[in-house]
Amino acid sequence: MSEAPKGLKKGLTNYGDQGFSLFLRKAFIKGAGYTDDALDRPVIGITNTGSSFNPCHGNMPQLIEAVRRGIMLAGGLPMDFPTISVHESFSAPTSMYLRNLMSMDTEEMVRAQPMDAVVLIGGCDKTVPAQLMGAASAGIPAIQLITGSMLTGSHRSERVGACTDCRRYWGKFRAEEIGDEEIADVNNQLVASVGTCSVMGTASTMACVAEALGMTVPGGASPPAVTADRIRIAEQTGAQAVQLARQGLTIDKILTPAAFENALRVLLAIGGSTNGIVHLTAIAGRMGIDIDLAGLDRMGTQTPVLVDLKPSGQHYMEDFHKAGGMATLLRELKPLLRLQALTVTGRTLGEEIERFGPGFAQDVVRPLGHPIYPQGGLAVLRGNLAPGGAVIKQSAADPALMEHEGRAVVFENSEDLANRIDSDALDVAADDILVLKNIGPKGAPGMPEAGYIPIPRKLAKAGVKDIVRVSDGRMSGTAFGTIVLHVTPEAAVGGPLAHVRSGDRIRLSVKNREIALLVSDEELARRAKENPVTEPTAERGYRKLFLQAVTQADKGVDFDFLRAPRSVGKAPE
Ligand code: FES
């Protein structure tokens, strides 16, 4: 059997004459000044996701330069190419709406262009998941490079960073504790450099998860964006990509059920973003691996939160890096990890942990026996309000509200919320439960991070800091509160959430993993008949594709046609 084509010989345009296709391709690329010697080397693609609209990727030029250096030192030929870039604050209607598009762009450009391995450079929340989803489907050797976190700033001598502190200060402003001048001052300090959010939000979560999956070089998750450590990681990543290409170590050998189990374990132990579950489900789905929510919840009961980072704890990503980053965490978690899982170095996770050597005194990652929070950061809830499941970040919730029954105060959609939440006429009390419908995958569309429903202004002014909130949307990993998210099925497809009315009673019991609407099945059926739900549609374009193909939160909000055609396993196994 002839060997599969490599390097520039891959994926030739079909003119019916392969020799001519290669001749033509080389003629074009030589227009950029390449020699035959360069063109005979392993070709390593580098995704360039730099954009003026994406300051989280603002170090892209330096990273690409370092990756290219690493590739050339290892004897490869670097070829960077653009894909779309998605930033949280510059992606209407929501970045999640564009994640699958970015994954398709990544997959198809990796497939279309001749490369033996690819370096994926991403950082802002949706980019790393999108790249891993795309690369998983493309199937070639791939390695993730994280852009790195931003530095923290200082506001009147108080250390601040995006975006837990953004929310905290905005909360103070809403409660009229601070005025226009101070809120303008703090706005200058929250993002002190390029790079991703500095707390354990979704970006940091996905960075740690990518390393736990074995998809980055060791230590790849934590160096801040503007540090020499980050540039060194970029150089190492480039060099490792050449080794991956030479060994033919394709992504399916890394992204196994054991790797996803390790990623879920880390997600729980870092008190990571609830978005991590959705993204891991989508990435695993591309490999034909199902994430078992019940299994994840069981893992949560055995996995304490060890990392003391905001929003669950005190510190920032740069502190996590100084404390040894993932090496420190993985060393602690070792008894709970699947150590035989292979990583992009060609070594197993267990071997990498051995190579880390002994730890040192630090106060950011706690020992297993002295955790920040005794259980994993996330809990999976079920009940008649969420037959397909819902999640709560218990480590960021108010313990006093985790066993709570209250009266529902319902908002039909984001617009209804915006119109009424600050009204003095709103009938709401601190022990009520705020319910927001129609912010699920199809509802908004794109499942925006609107699940962090603001405290009604009149309650905020009275000093209320938390209230139980329930929705079919997501929330930013930087947010905190007793907030039930990802209610599945969503209201827009006729889930029970669609039929909740103000005045109904809702019971939340994190202990029993329950979210229950205290309304009879008969009454719910009557309401469904009285007010049937019409699913949203669109006439053309990406929105039409999105609304036709997007799956619910328990399937990762991926497009149904992008999932692997067959299931090959589940995680945890
Ligand atoms: Fe990009 Fe937070 S906005 S990581």
Side-chain angles (χ1 to χ4, degrees):
M1 212 170 75
S2 63
E3 239 188 66
K6 291 208 168 91
L8 234 56
K9 298 194 185 76
K10 286 181 82 175
L12 288 167
T13 315
N14 192 355
Y15 299 119
D17 179 344
Q18 296 282 287
F20 176 64
S21 296
L22 181 60
F23 172 76
L24 205 57
R25 174 176 279 177
K26 285 177 102 173
F28 278 116
I29 200 76
K30 281 180 176 173
Y34 288 94
T35 62
D36 281 311
D37 177 36
L39 297 175
D40 280 343
R41 290 166 188 258
V43 178
I44 310 299
I46 307 168
T47 61
N48 179 349
T49 53
S51 157
S52 298
F53 286 111
N54 196 343
C56 298
H57 293 199
N59 57 345
M60 193 63 55
Q62 294 86 343
L63 292 179
I64 290 177
E65 185 193 332
V67 172
R68 292 177 69 92
R69 183 167 70 239
I71 292 170
M72 288 194 281
L73 284 169
L77 174 65
M79 300 289 279
D80 54 287
F81 61 96
T83 72
I84 60 170
S85 188
V86 178
H87 183 279
E88 290 303 289
S89 288
F90 298 94
S91 304
T94 158
S95 59
M96 189 65 170
Y97 178 68
L98 297 171
R99 183 200 64 180
N100 297 349
L101 183 65
M102 184 172 178
S103 84
M104 291 166 76
D105 183 3
T106 304
E107 174 183 348
E108 295 306 329
M109 295 318 284
V110 166
R111 252 189 229 292
Q113 300 168 134
M115 59 190 84
D116 298 299
V118 62
V119 176
L120 311 157
I121 312 183
C124 195
D125 293 17
K126 305 304 175 296
T127 60
V128 172
Q131 292 181 322
L132 290 174
M133 290 159 72
S137 297
I140 71 167
I143 186 166
Q144 184 78 53
L145 173 62
I146 303 295
T147 57
S149 60
M150 62 183 69
L151 300 179
T152 51
S154 175
H155 170 64
R156 301 183 184 173
S157 275
E158 189 195 345
R159 197 177 182 208
V160 291
C163 235
T164 303
D165 297 321
C166 313
R167 290 170 208 288
R168 192 163 56 80
Y169 272 93
W170 193 251
K172 285 185 181 198
F173 180 63
R174 278 177 62 81
E176 297 176 9
E177 289 169 26
I178 62 172
D180 293 341
E181 198 184 323
E182 183 164 1
I183 198 71
D185 278 355
V186 79
N187 192 250
N188 284 332
Q189 298 305 322
L190 289 162
V191 179
S193 75
V194 297
T196 57
C197 288
S198 53
V199 298
M200 191 51 81
T202 306
S204 303
T205 297
M206 291 312 297
C208 296
V209 156
E211 186 167 343
L213 281 170
M215 285 302 301
T216 73
V217 295
S222 62
V226 295
T227 58
D229 278 350
R230 175 53 63 197
I231 299 297
R232 263 187 292 278
I233 289 287
E235 185 186 300
Q236 284 170 26
T237 302
Q240 195 58 46
V242 179
Q243 302 311 325
L244 281 177
R246 292 211 167 105
Q247 293 159 1
L249 193 57
T250 44
I251 195 165
D252 55 311
K253 300 187 180 82
I254 315 274
L255 294 184
T256 58
F260 283 102
E261 188 172 319
N262 288 335
L264 292 170
R265 189 73 74 187
V266 162
L267 175 66
L268 292 162
I270 60 180
S273 161
T274 45
N275 291 319
I277 302 177
V278 178
H279 296 320
L280 272 170
T281 303
I283 300 163
R286 298 297 185 96
M287 303 305 302
I289 297 167
D290 296 312
I291 298 295
D292 174 16
L293 286 179
L296 168 65
D297 194 67
R298 276 195 302 279
M299 285 173 75
T301 61
Q302 313 142 357
T303 315
V305 177
L306 299 182
V307 177
D308 188 6
L309 250 61
K310 291 188 177 199
S312 300
Q314 294 305 312
H315 297 283
Y316 294 88
M317 264 317 257
E318 59 197 69
D319 308 315
F320 180 54
H321 181 57
K322 286 179 191 153
M326 286 294 286
T328 308
L329 178 67
L330 293 172
R331 210 184 278 116
E332 282 302 322
L333 282 180
K334 192 175 168 195
L336 299 173
L337 293 171
R338 301 280 299 271
L339 299 173
Q340 79 283 17
L342 199 60
T343 78
V344 285
T345 60
R347 293 181 290 269
T348 64
L349 188 66
E351 288 169 326
E352 291 303 345
I353 294 173
E354 286 306 308
R355 286 165 67 99
F356 291 146
F360 51 86
Q362 47 78 38
D363 63 354
V364 179
V365 182
R366 296 274 190 88
L368 209 47
H370 179 49
I372 305 284
Y373 192 81
Q375 299 197 344
L378 308 167
V380 178
L381 308 173
R382 284 193 196 270
N384 67 341
L385 190 50
V391 300
I392 185 166
K393 187 169 181 177
Q394 50 182 341
S395 59
D398 180 346
L401 289 174
M402 291 206 289
E403 305 297 315
H404 183 77
E405 186 188 310
R407 184 186 65 139
V409 175
V410 175
F411 301 92
E412 292 300 322
N413 50 43
S414 301
E415 201 186 347
D416 183 27
L417 177 79
N419 288 338
R420 293 194 295 127
I421 190 76
D422 286 340
S423 162
D424 285 338
L426 183 70
D427 177 15
V428 67
D431 59 354
D432 286 340
I433 295 182
L434 305 181
V435 175
L436 175 56
K437 303 177 184 177
N438 291 305
I439 58 164
K442 292 196 184 191
M447 207 179 180
E449 291 184 338
Y452 179 73
I453 304 167
I455 309 278
R457 194 187 292 268
K458 69 182 191 186
L459 295 183
K461 276 161 74 174
V464 174
K465 297 277 185 259
D466 196 6
I467 183 168
V468 177
R469 288 157 266 185
V470 178
S471 76
D472 46 11
R474 299 176 301 113
M475 80 170 178
S476 163
T478 62
F480 51 90
T482 311
I483 303 179
V484 178
L485 302 155
H486 311 181
V487 167
T488 303
E490 64 177 308
V493 301
L497 186 69
H499 307 299
V500 182
R501 292 182 181 169
S502 286
D504 288 348
R505 307 284 301 173
I506 292 177
R507 184 172 63 228
L508 167 68
S509 170
V510 178
K511 183 160 54 81
N512 296 330
R513 301 296 195 254
E514 181 192 44
I515 181 75
L517 176 62
L518 306 181
V519 170
S520 69
D521 292 349
E522 296 73 35
E523 171 60 14
L524 279 178
R526 196 187 60 75
R527 290 181 189 179
K529 207 163 156 200
E530 207 173 271
N531 287 309
V533 168
T534 310
E535 287 194 27
T537 55
E539 286 194 351
R540 61 163 297 281
Y542 180 67
R543 183 172 284 235
K544 182 172 181 174
L545 175 74
F546 187 95
L547 290 173
Q548 281 174 347
V550 76
T551 57
Q552 292 290 290
D554 59 339
K555 296 281 180 289
V557 196
D558 199 2
F559 292 155
D560 51 12
F561 60 87
L562 292 174
R563 276 177 67 86
R566 273 168 291 283
S567 281
V568 299
K570 65 174 180 153
E573 282 176 305

